[in-house]
Amino acid sequence: MAQIDMAQIEIRNLHKSFKDDAVLKGLSLSVDKGEIVTLFGPSGTGKTVLLRLLAGIHPQDAGTIFLRGRDATGSPPDKRGIGMAFQNFALFPHMTARDNIASALTARKTDAGEIARKVERVAQLLKIGHVLGHSPRELSNGQKQRTALARALVADPDILLLDDPLRNVDAKLRYEMRLELPALLKRVGSTVVYVTQDFKEAMALGDRVAVLLDGRIAQCDTPARIYAEPVNVGVARLFGDPTLNLIEVAPQLVDGAPEIRLGGAAIRLPASYAAAAGSPCLLGLRPEGLRLVDGPAPGAIAVDLVAVTPLNEKSVLLLTMQGGEELLASEAGDRDEPRRPGPAHVAIDPDTLLLFERESGRRFIPAENGKGGS
Amino acid sequence: MDRNSTIERVLRAVLLTLIVIFFLFPIVWILLMSFQTNEQILRIPPSLSFVPTLENYKALISGHLLTSAGSLDIAFMRNLGNSVLLSTCAVVLALILGVPAAYAFARFKFWLSEDIAFTLLSFRFAPPLLVLLPLSLYFQELGLDDTYTGLIWVYQLIALPLILWIVRGYFEDISPDIENAYRIAGHSWLRTFFKIAVPLAGPGIAAAGLLSFIFCWNNFVFALVLASADKQPVTVGALAFVTASGIQYGQVAAAIVLSVTPTLLLALYAQRWLVEGLSLGAVKG
């Protein structure tokens, strides 16, 4: 949020409702020049709406959007100088792929040779050079998606809005594109807002991930920090597969150190969580932060291993604690002998442990001194 | 299996032939009549063997109707010209007004938009005669009765709602994102309308235009009440064949053949669009 000069995209207190349905409720976000921000959130939270407001397709109800430091309110889509790729591709069905891509240049009165050259170049980049003469109906989904992307890129817009461009393509292509896109986008050098519903995509592509929850940006940070230091339960829940375990706990101070009781065992929390003592909390445990240990050990919880689901690179373990509460743990899937259901003990990696206020859902930020959180 | 399908094929062919005969018989009969004299047409029993004559067409084109009671001047060719002029102008005007209006109704929800669109459609429900009598009084007052302008205006009652409602459905079928994408590419609103919306709704516009042309062409009562002889289309002009010395069946038949020809040619030319357009609208609408 460097305010030395204004960010490339600066959104302040944006409101938008459709009929009585408030979608955006005072959203603020700033994106720096050349930065890729992935906009992530559950479906129906208004990610696409935000993109449409940025593009000028819909007017906002209140708030301001600054593009390149200038207030864009009231400026029509054709005057905003942005590139956009739609989730449903939105190709012009009556034009060839070439004309589709060129449409972003014809408006700028570029001469024909220059247009042909630029179209050819971007088509090479996206590997659709051989289908430029086809109409959209003759293109495969992957080619359509690349054509839509080429159309957004061809005019070298300094601001690029991508609305879940990988949503409607098959899994293989999505994977390929997820690998190719970051390099491609960096090469173009545009400022990118990338909407996605897939947290892996959000974390793979974004310099920063902006989490849209309840009409506002709940958190906007690097993928690593979003994962390790979510601001609240809502954000923490959205990332991770399987999602994190949430358990109601009440930390107490025992001998001056915070401690919780979990499945009959006393678990000592890092000292930096001392402030949480005495208030109702939610304990967030990442599945990969739970480790099965041999036999009882201090800080280990007695559990019952109910089921093991092997996924290629990892196994997901379903555990129940005393009292029947369930926990999901995951571990690398390369064990020599498979685990068998039965009694087991699980230890908690204190570095991945998250503690939230039960009422507000806010995360307790560990105090600076003791080496707490991460 | 093979045998079965042969029987099926023969049956289908027979049925199709019957249907074609049923629908085409009147037209073929009229075509035959148009090459016969009144006496040949009226002889009993009717016969298919006759010496074709072009007298009927000659009479129509020259404008002199020869009856047993003497010669009569008719303005059939003028009527035909009027029909072409009135229908073409009415449809062109309705397209110019209706297509942008249809776009507006499809894309924008403005105050009273649904009510206005429905009011325009309701012109099609109203019995023409109910509207016509007061209208003719107004037209006399305004000096619009017996003018091409007045008739073309009244023909909008036929053409405009049809075009508006058919084309509106086509515009609604176009994903707004396609237009948004063109806007974002840097094109103005107007350019987007002409380069994206109109071409994509093309089949619908063609179908609506053709249909309203046919409806205008076949209209009888508006011109009967609002126009005098020299402005009347063929539908009204055909009344002239009911003469003092009887009905001139031969000439009536020839007149029908001539007046059907332009619409038939237009329909054949635009058939592909018409069928595709209408069925598309039916499925998606």
Side-chain angles (χ1 to χ4, degrees):
Chain A
M1 281 262 234
Q3 284 286 349
I4 306 151
D5 52 354
M6 205 183 257
Q8 188 81 340
I9 302 172
E10 174 87 37
I11 303 165
R12 286 190 194 153
N13 199 25
L14 205 60
H15 288 261
K16 178 70 185 175
S17 310
F18 290 98
K19 300 249 167 67
D20 291 331
D21 185 18
V23 181
L24 302 181
K25 309 164 192 166
L27 182 145
S28 298
L29 176 69
S30 77
V31 183
D32 288 327
K33 202 169 166 56
E35 191 184 22
I36 300 172
V37 167
T38 47
L39 193 59
F40 170 72
S43 62
T45 43
K47 303 184 293 291
T48 296
V49 171
L50 175 58
L51 229 53
R52 282 161 188 259
L53 296 187
L54 282 173
I57 294 168
H58 301 310
Q60 67 260 36
D61 297 341
T64 323
I65 294 171
F66 296 92
L67 298 176
R68 307 172 196 89
R70 245 181 252 126
D71 184 354
T73 310
S75 153
D78 44 317
K79 298 274 183 284
R80 296 200 176 190
I82 54 175
M84 180 164 176
F86 289 81
Q87 186 186 310
N88 53 10
F89 310 140
L91 295 174
F92 314 127
H94 58 308
M95 297 183 188
T96 60
R98 176 178 282 108
D99 290 341
N100 262 283
I101 299 170
S103 68
L105 296 169
T106 51
R108 291 175 173 78
K109 307 266 180 289
T110 325
D111 72 272
E114 176 80 0
I115 290 177
R117 213 173 45 74
K118 284 191 166 176
V119 170
E120 210 59 51
R121 203 194 56 193
V122 77
Q124 289 301 321
L125 198 65
L126 287 161
K127 301 177 197 135
I128 45 170
H130 57 297
V131 291
L132 282 181
H134 294 205
S135 74
R137 138 170 19 93
E138 299 165 316
L139 299 176
S140 71
N141 259 3
Q143 289 164 341
K144 278 185 201 164
Q145 189 260 328
R146 281 157 192 266
T147 307
L149 211 52
R151 186 177 64 189
L153 290 172
V154 70
D156 299 320
D158 54 351
I159 295 176
L160 193 56
L161 309 176
L162 304 177
D163 188 356
D164 215 345
L166 305 186
R167 178 81 167 284
N168 290 324
V169 300
D170 61 83
K172 180 172 174 286
L173 183 74
R174 195 179 313 141
Y175 205 81
E176 270 175 37
M177 288 303 287
R178 218 184 268 162
L179 293 174
E180 282 176 32
L181 264 180
L184 184 70
L185 294 178
K186 281 294 169 208
R187 186 158 153 192
V188 176
S190 311
T191 305
V192 181
V193 179
Y194 185 107
V195 164
T196 178
Q197 266 195 51
D198 178 342
F199 81 93
K200 288 180 190 153
E201 202 170 304
M203 296 178 86
L205 291 176
D207 294 327
R208 284 191 299 155
V209 179
V211 184
L212 184 53
L213 270 180
D214 195 29
R216 292 187 189 85
I217 300 294
Q219 190 171 7
C220 181
D221 218 326
T222 61
R225 284 171 61 101
I226 289 264
Y227 193 74
E229 300 168 30
V231 290
N232 57 32
V233 179
V235 174
R237 258 195 197 129
L238 291 174
F239 296 87
D241 176 30
T243 54
L244 85 170
N245 301 289
L246 284 169
I247 304 148
E248 292 189 0
V249 292
Q252 301 291 333
L253 279 184
V254 177
D255 302 334
E259 200 179 279
I260 51 172
R261 295 202 66 80
L262 202 60
I267 313 282
R268 181 151 291 214
L269 295 181
S272 49
Y273 282 115
S279 49
C281 289
L282 276 173
L283 178 68
L285 299 172
R286 294 281 182 204
E288 66 275 16
L290 293 175
R291 191 164 36 86
L292 290 195
V293 290
D294 304 326
I301 311 163
V303 291
D304 200 23
L305 176 56
V306 178
V308 181
T309 310
L311 304 170
N312 288 330
E313 78 285 14
K314 65 180 175 194
S315 296
V316 177
L317 314 174
L318 175 60
L319 315 167
T320 51
M321 296 187 289
Q322 281 174 21
E325 255 186 304
E326 295 186 336
L327 284 178
L328 284 174
S330 69
E331 59 180 11
D334 53 1
R335 286 177 58 87
D336 294 336
E337 51 180 303
R339 287 202 186 275
R340 303 196 167 282
H345 287 84
V346 67
I348 297 167
D349 175 2
D351 281 350
T352 64
L353 168 159
L354 301 165
L355 203 60
F356 304 97
E357 277 177 39
R358 205 181 297 170
E359 279 291 296
S360 64
R362 267 200 303 273
R363 188 174 68 95
F364 274 108
I365 312 223
E368 278 298 318
N369 43 12
K371 188 192 168 293
S374 60
Chain B
M1 178 80 196
D2 208 22
R3 202 160 181 80
N4 224 357
S5 72
T6 323
I7 293 171
E8 228 170 65
R9 221 176 305 143
V10 170
L11 247 165
R12 185 175 303 158
V14 169
L15 280 174
L16 279 176
T17 315
L18 281 175
I19 291 168
V20 167
I21 289 173
F22 180 78
F23 281 106
L24 280 186
F25 176 75
I27 294 169
V28 173
W29 196 249
I30 283 166
L31 191 68
L32 292 176
M33 274 167 71
S34 72
F35 293 108
Q36 299 175 45
T37 61
N38 232 17
E39 292 72 38
Q40 283 168 325
I41 293 166
L42 293 174
R43 75 195 147 172
I44 293 181
S47 162
L48 275 176
S49 68
F50 61 90
V51 184
T53 168
L54 286 174
E55 277 311 308
N56 296 322
Y57 288 98
K58 256 185 224 158
L60 285 177
I61 291 164
S62 65
H64 295 292
L65 199 55
L66 294 167
T67 70
S68 47
S71 156
L72 187 70
D73 282 345
I74 52 157
F76 178 77
M77 289 317 280
R78 190 178 169 85
N79 288 335
L80 197 62
N82 284 342
S83 270
V84 173
L85 180 79
L86 288 171
S87 303
T88 309
C89 289
V91 170
V92 168
L93 182 64
L95 282 173
I96 293 172
L97 295 174
V99 172
Y103 184 73
F105 285 126
R107 278 285 175 266
F108 308 107
K109 296 284 161 266
F110 46 91
W111 190 62
L112 287 183
S113 61
E114 282 309 311
D115 302 87
I116 295 169
F118 190 77
T119 305
L120 284 165
L121 183 67
S122 71
F123 294 161
R124 298 286 305 163
F125 314 152
L129 278 173
L130 199 74
V131 186
L132 260 177
L133 295 175
L135 202 63
S136 67
L137 294 178
Y138 283 126
F139 268 36
Q140 273 163 25
E141 199 100 330
L142 293 166
L144 280 172
D145 67 325
D146 197 21
T147 60
Y148 287 123
T149 319
L151 275 178
I152 290 167
W153 191 357
V154 173
Y155 273 24
Q156 297 308 307
L157 287 177
I158 308 167
L160 196 56
L162 206 64
I163 287 175
L164 190 75
W165 277 80
I166 294 179
V167 176
R168 178 188 180 175
Y170 279 84
F171 281 137
E172 280 170 350
D173 282 347
I174 304 171
S175 157
D177 276 347
I178 294 179
E179 287 169 37
N180 290 335
Y182 203 66
R183 290 295 309 275
I184 289 169
H187 300 274
S188 67
W189 175 87
L190 199 64
R191 238 180 111 76
T192 308
F193 175 69
F194 283 115
K195 292 281 174 185
I196 302 292
V198 170
L200 288 183
I205 295 172
L210 183 59
L211 270 184
S212 50
F213 184 87
I214 292 170
F215 279 116
C216 288
W217 185 277
N218 290 345
N219 182 267
F220 171 75
V221 69
F222 285 143
L224 177 72
V225 176
L226 292 174
S228 64
D230 63 331
K231 304 276 182 349
Q232 277 167 348
V234 274
T235 42
V236 182
L239 285 178
F241 298 112
V242 184
T243 64
S245 59
I247 300 170
Q248 305 300 313
Y249 289 106
Q251 276 103 352
V252 171
I256 290 172
V257 170
L258 282 182
S259 63
V260 160
T261 309
T263 22
L264 195 66
L265 288 178
L266 192 64
L268 282 177
Y269 169 70
Q271 193 192 29
R272 201 177 326 134
W273 291 331
L274 186 68
V275 173
E276 179 185 300
L278 285 179
S279 59
L280 256 177
V283 172
K284 291 191 186 165

